[in-house]
Amino acid sequence: MRWIVFVSLILGAGCSAAATAEQPSTEQSATASEARALAAAAGAAVHVDLVELEANLVTFAARLSPAAAPTLVVRYIANTGGSGVARRDACEQGARSGGAWAEGTQVRKLDARGASCVGWSLVAGPGEQSWVRDEYLSTERPPARVAAPSQPAPAPHPAIPPRDQSQMFVFGTAPPGSFVAVYVGNRFCEAALADPVVGLWGTDIGPGDLCDPRLGEPFVFAIDGSLAHASAALTWAPSATAEVALTP
């Protein structure tokens, strides 16, 4: 009997020990599972952060890439003969948008192309953007044009009034300082004073004069009130010119 009780006590103690040994093992297993779960969650978070960082790096690199932004190249308006270029909002000759850029203006060439814009470039300059023909863009600033010194305006020639075609001009020589009277058809017409040094004189005879001359009527001259001798016989004709020397 006592043996049975002893065995029972030994078996009971063993069961208690086994139970006691199993309890820490279960707690340790639960702790390990939680640690693995936390590690997995942390790893996932780190993976997400790395993916986001990689995306940000790609975006940043794209922004730094020359293909992501227009290439700005300095150019100068040139080869226009000093007239400059009109601003245009399209790569067409007739697409003027108003205003112009003078020769030598610095612009920045934008990296823009179109199938229909061969020979043109889009540039940014003072005021706005504009399309400009490539032939008017230069890598070097053109030399400043030196204005030619202004020439003084020539003095105007004195205006010569047109001659009245109804008049006949008669001139000649007479004694210096003498008084010359002119008659046509025996009617008094005009008087002239001979130059006091060389004796030159002259006058126009026409329909507005007192004698109202007629075509072909003869001239008669007087010097200081006396009939004068003429070197040639003259008759009146409109727009004619005649020279005669008079002597007393």
Side-chain angles (χ1 to χ4, degrees), residues 58-158:
V58 171
T59 302
F60 182 69
R63 291 177 180 175
L64 294 180
S65 173
T71 302
L72 301 181
V73 180
V74 174
R75 291 289 186 267
Y76 300 94
I77 303 299
N79 308 318
T80 67
S83 61
V85 294
R87 294 202 292 265
R88 291 175 171 83
D89 54 14
C91 53
E92 300 175 0
Q93 191 67 21
R96 296 191 177 191
S97 59
W101 286 329
E103 179 152 339
T105 300
Q106 177 179 303
V107 297
R108 293 190 176 272
K109 186 176 179 181
L110 304 179
D111 187 10
R113 282 291 183 270
S116 61
C117 294
V118 176
W120 294 80
S121 292
L122 181 63
V123 300
E128 60 179 342
Q129 295 182 358
S130 173
W131 286 93
V132 178
R133 286 190 177 276
D134 291 340
E135 61 191 278
Y136 299 135
L137 295 175
S138 173
T139 57
E140 298 181 357
R141 187 188 297 273
R145 297 176 63 88
V146 179
S150 57
Q151 298 293 333
H157 293 288

